Amino acid sequence: MTRPLRRPAALVIAALIAVVPRVATAAGASDGYRLGPQDKLDIRVYDLRTGSGEAHQWAALNGEFLVDATGAVSLPLLGQVPASNGTPADLADAISARLQAKIGLAQRPDASVQVIKYRPFYIIGAVDKPGEYDYRPGLSVLQAVGTAGGLLRAGGDSLIGYERDALTQRGDLRVLAADRVALQVRQARLDAEIADADTITLPPDIKARAGEPDMARAVREEQLLFDARRNALKSQLDAIKQAKGLLTSELTSLAAKDATLGRQLDLTRKELAQVSDLVAKGMAVVPRQLAAEQSTASYESSRLDVQLATLRAQQDLSKADRDMLDLKARRRDEALTEATEVRAKLAADFEKIETTRQLVYQSEVRAPMAVARDAAERQPIFRLTHRTGDASDTRTVTEADLVAPGDVLRVLLPPRDDLGAAGRATSSAAPDGGAAGATADAGSGLPSRETAAASAVPSRR
């Protein structure tokens, strides 16, 4: 639906919509920024109506939208529009083309897409405060290190800080684990509602953990919610069915009344014909004929009223059937929408769990090892991991190289030569996916990395 603008505003926006999309396209082409999950976008769609000379804005498509975990933007009227690995200009073109095809417009509307909040980047390794940080355009490696508090400074205070960070991160892992359990059970409840099942069917991995307090509580809460929603729907359907029964009885009574009136009308018409014949022969007076005609008209009017009441009752009966279908469809649509949100949250929780595991590893293993080494000045090594689609690329960069949203910057301080082979072996003994991952898993009560990744795959589909 479009909303016409006032004439002065229409003239201004008519000029702007001819310029803004081109500006967005030029910017997207110059910086080559590729959209990805967690990018927050500001989308504006306008079109100029040549007949009236007024500019119209597509209010439903104007606003702030988030690129979801699947790499798409969910827009009213248009549905899921793929955005991942494309530029803002590519997304603007896709929105414009899809809207033209969807509505059947003669000319393509003008669309502009601006990134108002980029997805975060991550920095780990020999920095003072490793973690997740907000991205800003033109961020260099050196600036990213400065954002994380600079290079790691060895000392006793640092060790205490790392221990404190490890405790906090382990607490975060436990919170994420409980949240993931609740989301998995909720997904099972929504699947049962979508399938209109009588009971919730729990996946085997959830059944195996049914004795755990968090799991039992989550199952109990979702079961209560499932029963309440199902009983509410059943009560509404029963009320409609009761109304349908009353309408059916009313139609039966009206049909019987219509038949009786039909018989009475036939009798009065015969009587009227006989009286008219007698009047024509001079054997009856005119008032008697008038009385017969009035009686016939009265019965005809009553029969029309009954037939009209029958039509109204039939309309009410049809409306009751539509109401029953609408109730079921609304419940299914609500469950489908919530299921989509739950899948996105599960995917986000998986990413947070992996990031927190890395942070635990840094706080408990890598950071104390760095503190234990000599604090002499060493030239840091920066390794940047960039992910494109399903592939990732890791390369060594310099301080002046740029960091992109979603990148993981690893800062390494090479060991001194006098530490010898033992020092080098110690620094490389626990790679990112090794013992630290198992330590984090054991402390948080979460499944291993492989198990967590496998369980998250269905949630992302």
Side-chain angles (χ1 to χ4, degrees):
M1 303 293 287
T2 59
R3 184 171 55 196
L5 304 176
R6 297 181 181 272
R7 175 65 65 175
L11 295 176
V12 174
I13 295 179
L16 288 176
I17 62 177
V19 176
V20 171
R22 291 169 174 79
V23 173
T25 302
S30 61
D31 59 17
Y33 177 69
R34 300 289 174 175
L35 299 174
Q38 300 184 52
D39 280 336
K40 192 174 185 180
L41 310 176
D42 180 69
I43 298 177
R44 302 289 168 183
V45 183
Y46 295 88
D47 69 278
L48 182 62
R49 301 298 170 86
T50 55
S52 62
E54 292 183 341
H56 289 254
Q57 60 175 329
W58 292 84
L61 299 175
N62 290 352
E64 296 179 359
F65 299 89
L66 190 69
V67 181
D68 62 23
T70 64
V73 179
S74 180
L75 296 176
L77 302 178
L78 304 183
Q80 295 289 106
V81 180
S84 186
N85 296 325
T87 65
D90 294 336
L91 179 58
D93 288 340
I95 293 173
S96 178
R98 184 173 290 193
L99 182 59
Q100 182 187 24
K102 178 80 174 181
I103 308 300
L105 300 176
Q107 296 181 350
R108 288 179 59 175
D110 294 290
S112 67
V113 177
Q114 181 181 5
V115 182
I116 57 177
K117 185 176 181 181
Y118 297 87
R119 58 188 182 275
F121 72 96
Y122 306 89
I123 181 168
I124 58 177
V127 292
D128 192 54
K129 298 177 181 178
E132 171 187 308
Y133 291 92
D134 291 336
Y135 174 82
R136 62 178 184 274
L139 182 71
S140 66
V141 170
L142 187 59
Q143 291 172 333
V145 173
T147 302
L151 295 176
L152 184 67
R153 294 179 293 275
D157 292 340
S158 296
L159 282 175
I160 296 175
Y162 292 135
E163 292 176 359
R164 182 173 60 250
D165 291 343
L167 290 174
T168 301
Q169 290 150 8
R170 284 188 175 279
D172 293 341
L173 279 175
R174 286 190 289 270
V175 171
L176 288 171
D179 186 51
R180 185 174 180 80
V181 165
L183 288 173
Q184 287 175 326
V185 179
R186 185 179 306 170
Q187 184 69 53
R189 187 258 299 172
L190 291 171
D191 290 341
E193 289 185 356
I194 293 170
D196 199 20
D198 294 331
T199 57
I200 300 176
T201 302
L202 298 176
D205 57 333
I206 296 180
K207 287 183 178 179
R209 302 171 56 194
E212 299 177 8
D214 290 342
M215 183 65 74
R217 182 175 62 255
V219 172
R220 183 172 59 255
E221 292 173 352
E222 294 299 331
Q223 184 64 54
L224 291 174
L225 181 58
F226 176 82
D227 293 338
R229 288 167 61 92
R230 184 173 180 81
N231 291 336
L233 178 64
K234 185 177 181 299
S235 299
Q236 291 174 321
L237 292 176
D238 289 341
I240 295 176
K241 289 178 181 178
Q242 185 177 2
K244 286 180 61 179
L246 295 175
L247 289 171
T248 302
S249 300
E250 181 180 356
L251 285 172
T252 302
S253 299
L254 289 172
K257 187 175 182 180
D258 181 70
T260 301
L261 288 173
R263 290 192 299 270
Q264 291 176 339
L265 184 60
D266 291 338
L267 293 175
T268 56
R269 285 173 178 170
K270 290 179 181 179
E271 181 183 0
L272 177 60
Q274 293 174 356
V275 171
S276 298
D277 185 57
L278 293 175
V279 169
K281 294 178 180 180
M283 300 175 63
V285 295
V286 173
R288 184 178 177 185
Q289 181 181 5
L290 292 176
E293 289 176 350
Q294 290 175 349
S295 178
T296 301
S298 177
Y299 280 124
E300 288 176 346
S301 177
S302 298
R303 192 176 187 187
L304 287 175
D305 290 340
V306 169
Q307 292 173 347
L308 181 60
T310 300
L311 289 175
R312 289 176 178 172
Q314 290 173 344
Q315 290 176 347
D316 292 339
L317 190 61
S318 298
K319 184 178 181 299
D321 290 333
R322 291 195 303 272
D323 289 343
M324 292 181 67
L325 293 176
D326 290 342
L327 277 174
K328 294 179 180 179
R330 191 182 309 119
R331 180 174 184 259
R332 190 172 188 275
D333 289 343
E334 290 174 354
L336 286 171
T337 301
E338 190 176 355
T340 301
E341 296 173 354
V342 168
R343 284 194 295 269
K345 290 179 180 179
L346 279 170
D349 275 5
F350 173 74
E351 297 296 337
K352 290 178 181 179
I353 288 171
E354 288 300 303
T355 301
T356 307
R357 282 195 179 116
Q358 290 286 341
L359 295 177
V360 170
Y361 171 65
Q362 298 299 323
S363 298
E364 293 186 344
V365 181
R366 297 285 298 251
M369 287 167 54
V371 171
R373 291 197 295 267
D374 191 11
E377 289 293 332
R378 283 160 289 172
Q379 186 66 29
I381 299 173
F382 305 109
R383 295 189 60 80
L384 191 67
T385 300
H386 179 75
R387 189 174 185 85
T388 304
D390 295 332
S392 60
D393 173 62
T394 302
R395 58 191 177 89
T396 302
V397 296
T398 65
E399 295 177 347
D401 288 328
L402 297 181
V403 178
D407 285 354
V408 178
L409 177 62
R410 189 189 311 276
V411 182
L412 302 174
L413 289 177
R416 287 170 55 99
D417 292 339
D418 57 2
L419 290 177
R424 295 190 190 90
T426 303
S427 64
S428 60
D432 293 347
T439 303
D441 297 337
S444 63
L446 294 171
S448 65
R449 293 172 184 272
E450 293 75 9
T451 305
S455 63
V457 170
S459 302
R460 294 187 177 187
R461 291 177 183 172

